[in-house]
Amino acid sequence: MEFRALWDEIAAIGKEPTGYLRYAWTEPELALRTWFRAQAGQRDLAVEEDGNGNLFAWWNPSAEPGVLTGSHFDSVPHGGAYDGPLGIVSALLAVDELRARGVRPARPVGVAVFAEEEGSRFGLACLGSRLLTGAVAPEAAAALRDRDGVTLAEAAGGVPKGHRPDLLARISSFVELHIEQGRALTVPVGVASAIWPHGRWRIDFAGEGNHAGTTLMSDRHDPMLTFAYTVLAANKEARLRGAHATIGRVSVEPNATNAIPARVSAWLDARAADASVVDDLVAAVTARASERATRDGTRVQLTPESLSGETAFDVALRDRIAERLGGVPVLATGAGHDAGVLSAHVPTAMLFVRNPSGVSHSPAETASDDDCIEGVRALADVLEDLAC
Ligand code: GLV
Ligand code: MN
Ligand code: MN
């Protein structure tokens, strides 16, 4: 199997010294889609676009619902190579593998490319699959803005089409292969049981911009202090609950060395095994930020930007796949995926490929070629089982 050869075809696209920059509807991500269309063409797969930026390449298309696999090309800022693209390259190779085995599927087999899974450009995770499934209104999505103020409608060339029940009805099951993103998998391949509920909130801290040299310490209304306290409080509150809280993005105005900031915006990412724990965690962080704001003479406002409920994958499909693959491990993940969105509409499963370091959303993310090849074989086994 030519895993390395196909993988290397896309390795340079969007690669910067600091990691991958493959934001949705930017030049590198569009180049990856062009590459995908060419790969589909070489395999005689019929490509369709759903009006939401998602691509589907069908082998053996017919009126019968088909088995769908695939993932996303877009990356987080300065991300790794595997999160997303591994599922697409593996899907193309799994089609090759099935053909090499002489398999003639009784139902269609599709390879999907979902748009803006990371939400790194427009803030809403799994945007393409949310549009497809009607989980977000096209007008609301169209109005989302990136960091440069460009709307999604401008980036994507129009208002998305939104809910496509006709297309969903043509999917009998969806299986997404993805690199595992922690250290939970100690063998080459595993099967997902669940995705932790999670969300992103923007926290705006407003204070009074003023001179760093002349403003008495007692006169200040410094939102940076409220922000700094909130970062520590989020970490503590998450630890107390066995949950995860991260503030990994911040913007400061005016961002000057010699000025007390007027405004700080930060983004809280909160996750836990249980939705009530996420709610409780966010409430606790909000309460502590507000208390501190009273002390600092600042103001705090929390705005949800992306919410993902708990996903429990289809149990029968999960068990069938785990057994078909010889009893591979079944594990939950704290990472979000389009499979989580699709799972509310079609029987859905995920395959994970071992991540030796457990690092992800970082240029250090990696997987061995041998494990990736195992992943392709496993995916081909699963597709053969489900499509024949
Ligand atoms: C996406 O990978 C996420 O978990 O945020
Ligand atoms: Mn991903
Ligand atoms: Mn990711």
Side-chain angles (χ1 to χ4, degrees):
M1 178 190 308
E2 291 299 320
F3 173 78
R4 180 45 55 181
L6 199 61
W7 189 246
D8 280 348
E9 286 192 21
I10 61 167
I13 301 175
K15 187 171 188 192
E16 303 289 334
T18 50
Y20 282 94
L21 295 180
R22 290 169 165 172
Y23 301 131
W25 292 287
T26 62
E27 194 267 317
E29 202 245 8
L30 294 173
L32 288 163
R33 291 174 193 227
T34 302
W35 175 85
F36 176 78
R37 284 180 182 272
Q39 289 296 319
Q42 285 172 28
R43 290 168 175 78
D44 285 327
L45 309 179
V47 179
E48 66 179 305
E49 207 266 351
D50 68 350
N52 296 309
N54 306 312
L55 295 173
F56 299 86
W58 293 103
W59 173 22
N60 192 22
S62 73
E64 178 109 8
V67 182
L68 189 67
T69 181
S71 193
H72 61 97
F73 278 132
D74 64 294
S75 75
V76 297
H78 312 282
Y82 292 81
D83 179 353
L86 182 64
I88 298 169
V89 169
S90 299
L92 293 169
L93 289 170
V95 168
D96 296 346
E97 170 76 9
L98 291 176
R99 285 177 169 160
R101 291 180 190 175
V103 170
R104 298 167 68 89
R107 55 175 72 236
V109 172
V111 180
V113 174
F114 288 104
E116 177 73 331
E117 188 274 346
E118 299 287 4
S120 295
R121 182 161 182 197
F122 292 105
L124 183 56
C126 301
L127 184 59
S129 53
R130 284 187 205 250
L131 282 163
L132 166 70
T133 57
V136 61
E139 299 75 19
L144 293 170
R145 287 183 189 276
D146 70 9
R147 297 179 198 211
D148 297 323
V150 177
T151 65
L152 181 135
E154 286 161 354
V159 176
K161 195 160 183 175
H163 195 192
R164 290 288 308 273
D166 57 318
L167 215 162
L168 290 170
R170 286 165 40 213
I171 304 170
S172 56
S173 52
F174 176 55
V175 181
E176 179 171 359
L177 179 146
H178 204 281
I179 186 169
E180 208 274 315
Q181 293 173 279
R183 290 196 307 264
L185 188 58
T186 53
V187 297
V189 173
V191 181
S193 55
I195 298 177
W196 279 16
H198 56 283
R200 303 174 188 181
W201 291 260
R202 195 183 73 239
I203 316 179
D204 294 310
F205 303 89
E208 184 182 77
N210 212 332
H211 196 291
T214 59
T215 315
L216 297 180
M217 297 307 280
S218 54
D219 284 351
R220 298 178 178 215
H221 304 289
D222 185 347
M224 189 67 93
L225 299 182
T226 324
F227 158 72
Y229 178 88
T230 304
V231 174
L232 297 176
N235 184 283
K236 183 161 185 183
E237 295 295 340
R239 284 168 186 269
L240 286 172
R241 292 167 175 78
H244 295 173
T246 308
I247 295 183
R249 178 180 167 195
V250 60
S251 84
V252 182
E253 290 171 31
N255 208 17
T257 308
N258 55 355
I260 298 160
R263 181 176 297 275
V264 176
S265 293
W267 281 259
L268 170 70
D269 179 307
R271 311 186 187 214
D274 194 292
S276 65
V277 177
V278 177
D279 293 345
D280 187 54
L281 168 61
V282 174
V285 174
T286 309
R288 295 194 60 184
S290 301
E291 281 162 30
R292 177 72 205 199
T294 307
R295 238 170 96 183
D296 294 332
T298 56
R299 296 180 305 284
V300 178
Q301 192 179 345
L302 213 81
T303 310
E305 287 200 344
S306 181
L307 302 176
S308 303
E310 180 172 2
T311 298
F313 288 113
D314 188 279
V315 172
L317 184 59
R318 177 199 80 190
D319 290 348
R320 177 174 170 171
I321 290 174
E323 195 186 319
R324 179 76 176 77
L325 299 180
V328 295
V330 174
L331 56 153
T333 180
H337 300 286
D338 293 305
V341 175
L342 267 288
S343 73
H345 303 269
V346 295
T348 296
M350 289 193 76
L351 296 183
F352 288 135
V353 171
R354 173 166 56 185
N355 179 332
S357 66
V359 174
S360 191
H361 284 186
S362 151
E365 177 187 78
T366 192
S368 74
D369 281 13
D370 284 350
D371 284 359
C372 293
I373 290 165
E374 281 288 302
V376 173
R377 290 210 182 97
L379 182 61
D381 289 349
V382 170
L383 296 177
E384 182 173 355
D385 183 32
L386 298 175
C388 292

